[in-house]
Amino acid sequence: MSYLSIKDLSTEIDGKGILNKLNLNIEKGETHVLLGPNASGKSTLLYTLMGFPDYKVKEGSITFDDKDITELEIEDRSKLGIAGVYQNPPAINVKLSKLLEKISDKKVELQGIEGLLDREVNVGFSGGERKLSEVVQVISLDPNFIILDELDAGLDVVNLEKLSNLIKEELSGKTILLITHRGRALKFFEPDYAHVMMDGQIICSSKNWKKIWQTIEEDGYEKCKNCELYTNR
Ligand code: ADP
Ligand code: MG
């Protein structure tokens, strides 16, 4: 059994089916990238993996580190070391330094974070500062498996590279699932696997992420179906 093993997972939100018999396996220490058009269900997969109760599992299972976590509460999943960086984190009236003290004893010293510590989390933060603050929070949790949703959204190329390098350094050896619908982050992360999601299903999985990204750019997501025909897996 893989470190993370998602089997035939179907979910519903407000009675609407989103994930549709999704299968995904990730081995310990691997970095996987999930690509897919808008509304294909990428963020839904993150929320479902984190255990948000609105995302109802109708079918299938999620196993992590040999435990079936399909029915586990959010808090218990965090204790197992599952952590997420969300696309649109909310503003909260707590100083970042206080929040970091609360979530961990581990002190993360990072370039660019000093100026944010004394400010309330996400209040007036720029897109890049928001991402930096989220990534620092996640790093300080010392997680085992990290899901990053649209890390590149709202980040310029230079800051994306900085943040990507930071993640690679601070979370080296950890298991990572990077969700994106742009390809820019791919070349920074050089993932072990890339997956393409459409309509709540993984339609293509391959080690050959360069070929997948080329296919998406040149022919669109639809063309990724039957990827075994062109990626040599
Ligand atoms: P992606 O991240 O790939 O862009 P999402 O997982 O955010 O896609 O959304 C997949 C589909 O689920 C979309 O059609 C979206 O409108 C729907 N959806 C997600 N969350 C909710 C919700 N809370 N209520 C109703 N529909 C939702
Ligand atoms: Mg999304």
Side-chain angles (χ1 to χ4, degrees), residues 43 87 149-150:
S43 295
Q87 197 180 341
D149 199 1
E150 309 252 349

Side-chain angles (χ1 to χ4, degrees), residues 74-230:
I74 298 184
E75 292 80 349
D76 295 324
R77 296 186 200 210
S78 302
K79 282 181 198 146
L80 292 176
I82 302 175
V85 171
Y86 301 93
Q87 197 180 341
N88 299 306
I92 47 176
N93 297 112
V94 175
K95 282 188 182 168
L96 181 59
S97 55
K98 284 272 171 287
L99 181 66
L100 289 172
E101 269 169 33
K102 211 164 170 70
I103 55 184
S104 169
D105 294 331
K106 186 179 162 185
K107 216 165 160 56
V108 185
E109 309 258 351
L110 289 174
Q111 210 193 344
I113 198 71
E114 310 81 24
L116 298 177
L117 290 172
D118 224 20
R119 291 173 57 184
E120 294 185 339
V121 178
N122 293 331
V123 177
F125 281 14
S126 74
E129 289 169 343
R130 199 176 281 229
K131 294 282 169 175
L132 181 63
S133 137
E134 291 298 302
V135 167
V136 168
Q137 289 168 52
V138 160
I139 290 171
S140 71
L141 286 170
D142 196 21
N144 298 315
F145 172 47
I146 307 94
I147 311 150
L148 299 145
D149 199 1
E150 309 252 349
L151 182 71
D152 49 4
L155 279 187
D156 61 64
V157 185
V158 174
N159 277 303
L160 173 62
E161 182 161 10
K162 268 195 203 163
L163 208 57
S164 301
N165 286 332
L166 195 84
I167 292 167
K168 278 204 280 195
E169 262 169 46
E170 296 288 327
L171 299 175
S172 88
K174 308 283 183 165
T175 310
I176 296 175
L177 177 61
L178 175 71
I179 301 175
T180 181
H181 64 158
R182 299 193 182 89
R184 234 162 46 181
L186 278 168
K187 81 170 201 270
F188 291 127
F189 277 90
E190 302 193 306
D192 297 292
Y193 269 91
H195 309 272
V196 183
M197 186 167 183
M198 277 187 88
D199 301 326
Q201 286 182 334
I202 304 278
I203 59 158
C204 167
S205 294
S206 173
K207 283 177 182 287
N208 196 344
W209 56 267
K210 287 180 183 157
K211 190 77 195 161
I212 289 190
W213 185 243
Q214 186 192 353
T215 305
I216 291 171
E217 282 205 306
E218 289 174 5
D219 302 308
Y221 292 103
E222 195 75 38
K223 274 283 181 344
C224 294
K225 285 176 184 165
N226 302 323
C227 62
E228 66 272 18
L229 299 177
Y230 60 88

Side-chain angles (χ1 to χ4, degrees), residues 1 4-11 20-25 45 49 57-63 68 70:
M1 170 126 358
L4 176 78
S5 184
I6 304 176
K7 208 169 174 318
D8 291 328
L9 187 68
S10 297
T11 59
N20 180 15
K21 285 187 172 284
L22 182 136
N23 288 283
L24 179 66
N25 292 306
L45 177 61
L49 286 173
V57 174
K58 288 289 158 186
E59 190 190 347
S61 64
I62 308 166
T63 345
D68 187 328
T70 319

